[in-house]
Amino acid sequence: MQNLHGMPNKGGVIVIDAPRGCGKTFLANVVLAKVRLMYGFDSVCASAATGIASLLLPHATTTHKAYGLPLECDETTRCPFSDRKTKLYQLMQNYRIHWADECSMLNRHCYNAIEFTLQDFFSNKKLTGGTL
């Protein structure tokens, strides 16, 4: 957790891959709670590919709702963050971590849309627009 203090705008992805019953959800809950404690409640965007999986994470939603993605994504899909008056735009400015549970369940174009949108949103071409 202390690495978040010293690495602004570096960006990155951490992958947690393990068989069922190993404690991935427990780990997610601990990490999300710690980050929210350190940086504030609105510092984390927690999402999951399915509604059932999002119920297991505190204050999480589906990936499509969190990023405003349409149900059908293709290579030209982008998230609708361009309007500065929307609540989604205001929330995106505060996020330090984007937690995506069960990410292998989504179409690759969904994650490409999120990646390109975060890079454009933060004006940073690094991975995930400089966020973690």
Side-chain angles (χ1 to χ4, degrees), residues 29-76:
N29 288 329
V30 170
V31 170
L32 293 175
K34 180 67 174 178
V35 172
R36 285 181 172 139
L37 182 67
M38 290 172 64
Y39 298 105
F41 184 78
D42 290 335
S43 62
V44 175
C45 178
S47 66
T50 64
I52 298 296
S54 70
L55 293 174
L56 299 174
L57 297 174
H59 308 287
T61 185
T62 63
T63 305
H64 287 86
K65 183 176 180 186
Y67 296 100
L69 292 170
L71 292 178
E72 296 293 325
C73 295
D74 60 18
E75 57 274 349
T76 62

Side-chain angles (χ1 to χ4, degrees), residues 107-121:
N107 183 331
R108 68 182 169 95
H109 296 303
C110 292
Y111 285 104
N112 286 340
I114 294 169
E115 173 69 24
F116 292 132
T117 303
L118 289 175
Q119 288 177 352
D120 291 342
F121 183 82

